[in-house]
Amino acid sequence: KEAFSISGTTHILVASGGNVAVLMAFCLFIFRFLRLSFKLALFAGIFISAFYVFVCGLDPPLTRVFIMAVAGSLALIVERKKDPFQLLIIASLFILIIKPYYLLNAGFQMSFAAVYGLAIGFGVRKNFFIRKNQFGISAILKIFFASFFAQAALAILLIIYFNRISLIGVVANIFVVPLASLLLPLGLVSAFFSYLPYAGTFLFYICSVLIQLMIKSVLFFSSLPFASIEIPYMTFISIFTIIFIVFIFLHWPLLERKKIAL
């Protein structure tokens, strides 16, 4: 547990929005493979995801991504433009109308902060990634910056709630998150084939290998020098300064007169 905290990968140990996203994508793939129409596959994926979110207790991160998935799917069906930031606002409004006290919930804050970092970080830098795509390195850059933007947006919350910020988290998540994303659908498939002796045994063996690989990766990154730093106490001025710096960094391409803004 300490190693996951130091390496900045604790988020993969909880039922999070990423789980719902992976589950939704997996359901779409399976139902499309079974030759169902796209809309029917989409509704089936939403229904299964709703069941998963309900079983997990309707936690804020899960509820957030489920509402975003439903809103995005409806936009897709009626052929309306969908934007991650707009979907995030819709999800936050819906949740806070029902349970306003979630605004002070750590899970709610961290879930929305991470997605906000991704939506803004990528949204205002579209031209940069389009240009880089010509050289075939766009996918690698997106994996790196996805971790970087999310960690930047989460920085102040990690300090406030855990008195620690991971310096190696950006790199560690590049290796650990893909493994965790692969394990969820593979676990579902393994459970489905568990009644078949040879197939089930083989699939669960692959799962165990991937889990061991993930744990060893986390232990490796957490053991590196200066993997994280502990921050026992921060003043209000310090907290505000970090929030301001992160905000300017995420929105930097939108600032036309950067020198004056700085």
Side-chain angles (χ1 to χ4, degrees):
K1 185 178 179 180
E2 185 74 6
F4 274 91
S5 176
I6 293 172
S7 62
T9 54
T10 310
H11 60 91
I12 69 169
L13 298 178
V14 299
S16 63
N19 295 41
V20 180
V22 171
L23 180 62
M24 187 84 175
F26 176 71
C27 291
L28 279 174
F29 173 77
I30 293 296
F31 291 130
R32 289 295 286 164
F33 180 77
L34 296 175
R35 309 255 178 196
L36 292 181
S37 67
F38 178 75
K39 290 184 179 180
L40 192 59
L42 201 59
F43 280 118
I46 290 174
F47 178 78
I48 292 175
S49 299
F51 177 75
Y52 174 75
V53 171
F54 180 76
V55 167
C56 290
L58 297 174
D59 286 342
L62 295 172
T63 307
R64 184 265 308 163
V65 76
F66 176 71
I67 295 173
M68 290 181 69
V70 172
S73 299
L74 291 176
L76 197 64
I77 291 171
V78 300
E79 298 181 354
R80 290 289 299 272
K81 182 182 178 181
K82 59 184 186 300
D83 178 81
F85 183 71
Q86 292 176 335
L87 297 178
L88 186 66
I89 295 300
I90 291 172
S92 63
L93 180 63
F94 187 86
I95 292 173
L96 292 177
I97 285 175
I98 298 174
K99 296 184 177 181
Y101 58 86
Y102 268 178
L103 191 62
L104 303 177
N105 180 280
F108 176 90
Q109 294 172 1
M110 296 180 75
S111 176
F112 276 87
V115 179
Y116 178 83
L118 292 172
I120 297 299
F122 281 111
V124 301
R125 293 171 176 82
K126 289 180 181 178
N127 294 334
F128 170 78
F129 289 103
I130 290 173
R131 289 197 303 270
K132 294 299 180 181
N133 195 40
Q134 298 174 355
F135 303 99
I137 60 174
S138 178
I140 299 174
L141 285 174
K142 284 180 179 178
I143 293 174
F144 173 80
F145 278 106
S147 178
F148 190 72
F149 292 146
Q151 290 286 322
L154 285 170
I156 192 63
L157 293 174
L158 294 173
I159 293 172
I160 291 172
Y161 288 116
F162 302 106
N163 300 116
R164 171 184 283 159
I165 185 167
S166 175
L167 301 180
I168 200 68
V170 174
V171 179
N173 278 285
I174 294 175
F175 292 91
V176 176
V177 169
L179 287 172
S181 300
L182 183 61
L183 276 166
L184 178 61
L186 185 59
L188 291 171
V189 173
S190 301
F192 184 78
F193 285 101
S194 60
Y195 295 102
L196 301 177
Y198 296 107
T201 302
F202 176 71
L203 289 171
F204 278 123
Y205 173 75
I206 295 177
C207 283
S208 67
V209 170
L210 291 177
I211 290 173
Q212 290 300 318
L213 180 61
M214 184 176 68
I215 292 174
K216 287 181 179 179
S217 299
V218 169
L219 291 172
F220 168 74
F221 285 113
S222 66
S223 65
L224 294 175
F226 306 106
S228 70
I229 54 175
E230 292 188 9
I231 306 174
Y233 173 76
M234 291 190 70
T235 63
F236 175 79
I237 298 298
S238 301
I239 292 172
F240 179 81
T241 302
I242 293 176
I243 292 174
F244 179 76
I245 291 172
V246 170
F247 185 85
I248 292 295
F249 164 72
L250 289 174
H251 297 78
W252 187 252
L254 295 179
L255 304 176
E256 295 180 359
R257 311 177 90 181
K258 295 183 177 63
K259 291 182 180 179
I260 296 176
L262 186 59

